[in-house]
């Protein structure tokens, strides 16, 4: 057996990393890449290839030329034209990783330039690939009548996922089948793509995921692409083939977290009530990604929020540009709008000298009121309770008032302090019309030795989730933990499932664990062992937003969070130091508050540091190379105290996804805190040193 | 992928002889500066390399009443481990801000100063201290003030073929020191600067003031530094505002992008004396 | 070139190119996979090894720089009493890492507590700053290091009493 096929029993904690797999005769794959953002390929000149080396182009693909199952048309290898600088045009395959890299760099693409769109902010109609719009009441009239009207343009920049391991895949053939190993959030999609690329039956493809680690949704679909490249290379070379990016290569050429621009107008009436929100969201997805429509719907829904606002006009567009693919980042789009929606709410409250937490709680929909979709709320939203708790824990009101006073007095020499608040929700049930991959399955067997095995390709992303599944199964079936085995998400051993996104390994698969175990418990003393059980679920649709309309509620099974962030900004140096972070979560039943708190603490710091300083920069349409060296995903040199409180975590409701909540509410709270510290509205993430220096009055 | 010949000199004369024979020789100490911005799997190196690890003279420390001489091959972490008072606190603070502890376990002070593309973190502290560098060339040796590393365009201007063997750092006492890094936390980039300031105060009067900032260019303006010397403390707001504006102007002349950070930092330093 | 050095207590020798990085030598030539080749710029800390008693990123060490040195990887370090202290600290606070940065985290904690005197929080945080992984929660890692320092104190006290 190859070393890479070993899989530990009982959880994925020690599963092998892709880069650790060693195989005899392995060949390596390097990419020949497009030299410019947009062009027509006239010729592709292969370098002189030593014996044992070969080149693969699009015409060598026996099956489908495009990745299936996605809502963008993404070619495996560009042919005819290329659409972004760095797009794979050909593969160089051979035994030495250094030589294939050198050969790929010397291959030349003869091309003629085509007009390139590098910035989606103008969103010309030809570049709009998806659109969602919604309107309610009369926004223009409400703005005309407004006593307070704020207009802003909000921006968040392109982000690097910086997952635990750079992207890659290994493929080889054995006994008429193709085996693929890759770190993926979506094993079923890898299988589907490799089968399509090779023109082979699904049954001929087996995908055995490797250790995934932290992914921040950067490994949803791109591993499928690289798996196809590895499979094509293996087929051509007749040997196991490996694509393994260096971190630098990954930074330059893998999909990024999309940048967004939101133009907003918001109005308050004479009573200080929110009377209108008018927003245009432009999501720049680069050369195209998976789930663009889902991202658009999540972003639009976040912008609509939970406000009791009679006049709304939301237009959300996804635009393609000739820049690297850019899409999900710690969620499918909600974070891309919550940062602006939350900070905007604080701006509105402060414009009328209201306490932000109280004002926001007063503006939220109450039980019985209708969401803009028309669906009436059946329960009270927990905004007031989480806001109240986090305000008390952080002493928000006193601090907010005193920092305001200090700033107005102008006594804060050098160090300026600010504190900000925001709330947000995470909902699993928000859908575009045709989201792929929302079907999840699980199989379990209680065998004759009273050992339970559970299999699903919606992989538990880490040992923590795996142990939660085992704990739940142990509780229901009264089995010792060591007798519960989580089968690896191998496509031969587990039924196909949708991607491991939106905390679905808890919110959907967690419920499936409960269902299969309950099914076995019912039959346990009635039927002979072994007892198998299967369960599958489509994700429950809460809100569906198609091109023609919106139905349902986004709050079904939603988890809620409120955050307070406190920052110090040295206005001389621009140094930004978060000094406190408080989070209050209402996430239904929390399977393990200890594990949840640890995971939320790490995610909170990632969200905070991304807001404070992470940004992928571009040059001539491609990722700025030197940016790799200056990109820092959070310094660990200062500890930020993070306090997390859960509301009633033991209550008997199904567990909900909470993992993305820090990314939904912390950036907005951070923006508000930074704005207070600098005494000027900050509307762009991340905070740039120059902006901070300029925000201070001239000496 | 060219193969490189690696030399292992054990003395400076031997190293200079190698340099004389091959002016393209790459001097390799900690290597962190050489590997900077090389993220590929394999590193293509020049055909000839001299590894400096075995040159004992580059690792010496000599202390007199007025200064300490640091061998350029001392690792940054070694310098930080010297007992309090061995080196000027401003230099210690600047070195402590470099990269992370494990990089400082490799990087050397000489390597930090020998970067030809930019002024690295230790330079601004040494520039304030008016430290001297011993430059050894095949043709001879001489001492040179670190401020003279600033070329006409503000970029580093090191002699083309040379070895920095020692750094002579004055040990006078400075009651006011300030070191600040600006810009991103990762490897230094275009917007990354290290600012340092020193001031001496005697009987309520400012008797010496030195400001320096290093990054993609080096900034040091002694004629402006001396303008407020002799002024009584606290400094007057009007004088400070005028001086900050002049620092800004001077920095703008050299590099427009440096003007804002330098003037802000000057404002900070002078504000603390105000 | 031929590179001779001591690896985890054993004399080893191999043929390498001057531009090869120590991390690739360890992984490809010796099958030591616990340290990962990741950022290749010395900042992520996933490739940390101990070279002549100092913790260094193996991605920033070229083949010719290793000659005559002593290198200890995490595979060698786990044989030591110092490792037991770190493991105890990690276990005590329930620190869970992603599986990619483990070697770095363990060796960074070990380096934080290796001195004669007990480190304070600031010193530990500084030592841990050599590892940057999205999975690590600095507060829990700090607590693990403090618990490891306690474990070390207990071990040394027990040894001295014997």
């Amino acid at each position: 057996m190859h070393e890479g096929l070993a899989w530990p029993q009982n959880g994925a904690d020690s599963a092998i990393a892709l880069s650790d797999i060693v195989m005899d005769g392995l060949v390596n794959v390097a990419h020949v890449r497009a030299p410019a953002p947009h062009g027509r390929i006239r010729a592709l000149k292969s370098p002189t290839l030593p014996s044992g080396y070969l080149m693969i182009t699009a015409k060598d693909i026996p099956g489908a030329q495009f990745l299936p199952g996605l809502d963008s048309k993404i070619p495996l290898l560009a042919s005819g034209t290329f659409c972004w600088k760095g797009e794979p045009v050909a593969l160089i395959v051979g035994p030495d990783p250094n030589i294939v890299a050198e050969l790929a760099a010397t291959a030349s693409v003869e091309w003629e330039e085509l007009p390139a769109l590098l910035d989606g902010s103008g969103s010309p109609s030809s570049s709009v690939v998806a659109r969602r719009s919604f309107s309610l009441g009369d926004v223009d009239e409400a703005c005309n009548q407004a006593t307070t009207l704020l207009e802003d343009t909000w921006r968040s920049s392109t982000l690097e996922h910086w997952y635990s391991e750079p992207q890659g895949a290994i493929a080889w053939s054995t006994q008429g089948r193709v085996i693929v190993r890759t770190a993926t959030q979506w094993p079923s999609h890898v299988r589907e793509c490799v089968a399509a690329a090779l023109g082979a039956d699904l049954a001929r493809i087996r995908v055995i995921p490797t250790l995934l680690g932290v992914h921040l949704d950067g490994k949803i679909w791109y591993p499928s692409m690289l798996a196809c490249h590895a499979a094509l290379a293996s087929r051509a070379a007749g040997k196991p083939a490996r694509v393994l990016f260096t971190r630098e290569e990954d930074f330059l050429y893998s999909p990024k977290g999309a940048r967004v621009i939101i133009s907003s107008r918001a109005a308050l009436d004479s009573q200080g009530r929110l009377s209108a929100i008018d927003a245009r969201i432009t999501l720049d997805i680069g050369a195209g990604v998976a789930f663009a429509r889902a991202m658009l719907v999540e972003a639009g829904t976040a912008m609509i929020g939970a406000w009791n606002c009679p006049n709304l006009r939301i237009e959300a567009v996804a635009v393609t540009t000739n820049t690297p693919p850019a899409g999900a980042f710690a969620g499918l789009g909600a974070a891309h709008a919550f940062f602006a929606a939350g900070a905007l709410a604080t701006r509105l409250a402060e414009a009328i000298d209201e306490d932000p937490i109280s004002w926001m709680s007063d503006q939220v929909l109450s039980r019985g009121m209708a969401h803009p979709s028309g669906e009436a709320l059946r329960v009270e939203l927990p905004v007031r309770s989480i806001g109240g708790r986090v305000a008390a824990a952080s002493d928000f009101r006193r601090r907010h008032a005193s920092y305001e006073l200090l700033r107005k007095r102008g006594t804060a020499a050098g160090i300026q302090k600010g504190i900000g608040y925001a709330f947000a929700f995470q909902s699993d049930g928000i859908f575009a019309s045709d989201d792929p991959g929302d079907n999840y399955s699980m199989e379990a067997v209680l065998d004759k030795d009273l050992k339970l095995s559970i299999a699903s390709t919606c992989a538990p992303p880490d040992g923590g989730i795996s142990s939660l599944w085992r704990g739940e199964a142990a509780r229901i079936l009264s089995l010792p933990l060591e007798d519960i085995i989580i089968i690896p998400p191998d496509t031969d051993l587990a039924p196909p499932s949708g991607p491991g996104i939106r905390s679905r390994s808890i919110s959907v698969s967690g419920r499936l664990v409960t269902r299969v175990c309950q099914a076995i418990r019912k039959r346990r003393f009635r039927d002979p062992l072994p007892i198998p059980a299967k369960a599958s679920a489509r994700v429950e649709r809460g809100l569906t937003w198609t091109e023609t309309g919106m139905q349902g509620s986004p709050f079904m099974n939603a988890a809620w969070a409120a955050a307070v962030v406190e920052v110090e900004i040295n206005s001389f140096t621009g140094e930004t130091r978060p000094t406190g972070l408080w989070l209050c979560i209402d996430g239904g039943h929390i399977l393990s508050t200890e594990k949840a708190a640890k995971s939320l603490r790490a995610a909170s710091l990632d969200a905070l540091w991304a807001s404070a300083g992470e940004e992928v920069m571009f040059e001539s349409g491609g990722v700025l190379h030197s940016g790799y060296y200056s990109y820092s995903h959070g310094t660990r040199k200062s500890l930020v105290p993070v306090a997390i409180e859960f509301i009633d975590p033991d209550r008997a409701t199904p567990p909900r996804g909470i993992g993305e909540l820090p990314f939904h509410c912390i950036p907005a709270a951070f923006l508000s805190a930074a704005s207070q510290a600098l005494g000027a509205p900050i509307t762009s993430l991340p905070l740039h040193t120059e902006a901070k220096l300029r925000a201070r009055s001239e000496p | 992928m060219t193969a490189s010949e690696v030399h292992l000199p054990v003395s400076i004369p031997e190293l200079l002889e190698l340099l004389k024979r091959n002016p393209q020789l790459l001097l390799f100490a900690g290597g962190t500066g050489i590997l900077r911005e090389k993220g590929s799997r394999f590193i293509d190196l020049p055909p000839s390399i001299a590894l400096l690890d075995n040159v004992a003279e580059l690792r010496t420390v000599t202390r007199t009443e007025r200064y300490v001489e640091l061998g350029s091959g001392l690792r940054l972490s070694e310098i930080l481990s010297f007992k309090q008072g061995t080196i000027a606190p401003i230099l210690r603070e600047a070195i402590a801000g470099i990269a992370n502890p494990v990089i400082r376990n490799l990087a050397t002070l000489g390597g930090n100063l020998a970067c030809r593309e930019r002024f690295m973190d230790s330079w601004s502290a040494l520039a304030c201290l008016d430290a001297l560098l011993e430059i050894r060339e095949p043709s001879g040796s001489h001492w040179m003030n670190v401020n003279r590393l600033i070329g006409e365009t503000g970029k580093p201007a090191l002699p083309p073929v040379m070895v920095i063997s020692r750094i002579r750092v004055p040990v006078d006492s400075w009651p006011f020191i300030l070191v600040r890094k600006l810009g991103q936390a990762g490897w230094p980039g275009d917007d990354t600067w290290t600012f340092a300031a020193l001031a001496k105060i005697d009987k309520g009067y400012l008797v010496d003031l030195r400001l320096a900032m290093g990054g993609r260019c080096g900034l040091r303006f002694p004629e402006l530094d001396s303008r407020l010397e002799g002024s009584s403390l606290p400094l007057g707001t009007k004088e400070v505002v005028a001086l900050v504006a002049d620092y800004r102007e001077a920095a703008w002349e050299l590099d427009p992008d440096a003007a804002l950070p330098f003037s802000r930092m000057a404002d900070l330093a002078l504000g603390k004396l105000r | 070139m031929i590179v001779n050095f001591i690896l985890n207590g054993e004399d080893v020798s191999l043929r390498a190119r001057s531009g090869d990085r120590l991390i690739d030598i360890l992984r490809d030539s010796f099958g030591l996979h616990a340290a990962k080749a990741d950022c290749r710029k010395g900042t992520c800390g996933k490739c940390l090894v101990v070279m002549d008693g100092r913790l260094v990123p193996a991605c920033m060490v070229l083949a010719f720089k290793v000659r005559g040195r002593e290198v200890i990887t995490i595979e060698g370090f786990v044989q030591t009493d110092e490792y037991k202290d770190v493991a105890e600290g990690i276990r005590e606070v329930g620190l869970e890492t992603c599986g990619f940065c483990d070697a770095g985290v363990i060796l960074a904690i070990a380096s934080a507590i290796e001195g004669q005197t007990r480190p304070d929080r600031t010193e530990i945080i500084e030592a841990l700053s050599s590892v940057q992984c999205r999975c690590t929660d600095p507060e829990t890692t700090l607590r693990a290091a403090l618990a490891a320092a306690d474990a070390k104190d207990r071990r040394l006290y027990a040894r001295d009493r014997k």
Side-chain angles (χ1 to χ4, degrees), chain A residues 134 139 262-265 277-281 303 312-316 344:
Chain A
F134 179 82
V139 167
I262 300 175
S263 307
S264 71
R265 207 158 54 124
I277 299 175
D278 186 6
R280 180 181 168 84
I281 302 168
M303 200 69 213
L312 279 172
R313 183 163 57 205
I314 305 291
E315 189 178 25
L344 171 63

Side-chain angles (χ1 to χ4, degrees), chain A residues 17 19-20 22 98 160-162 164-165 211 213-214 216 247 595 598 601-602 605-606 614 628-629 631 633-637 639, chain C residues 17 27 33 36 38-41 46 93-96 98-100 121 125-126 129 131-140 142:
Chain A
S19 56
D20 291 350
V22 178
N98 298 318
E160 170 62 27
H161 299 91
W162 216 289
S164 295
E165 187 186 39
L211 186 61
V214 178
L216 297 190
R247 183 65 77 173
K595 283 184 190 299
K598 277 184 196 162
R601 198 177 293 126
L605 295 176
D606 278 333
E614 291 185 38
Y628 171 68
Y629 298 95
Y631 198 93
H633 54 93
T635 169
R636 266 58 176 166
K637 284 197 175 182
L639 278 193
Chain C
R17 293 162 300 190
R27 292 174 56 83
H33 286 164
K36 310 295 183 203
D38 194 321
C39 73
R40 295 177 188 270
K41 57 175 180 165
K46 290 178 187 168
V93 303
L95 176 67
E96 284 175 6
C98 63
F100 294 89
R121 283 171 62 96
I125 291 167
E126 178 66 14
S129 71
V131 183
Q132 290 198 353
C133 180
R134 292 219 192 257
C135 80
T136 50
D137 156 22
E139 182 66 45
T140 313
L142 170 68

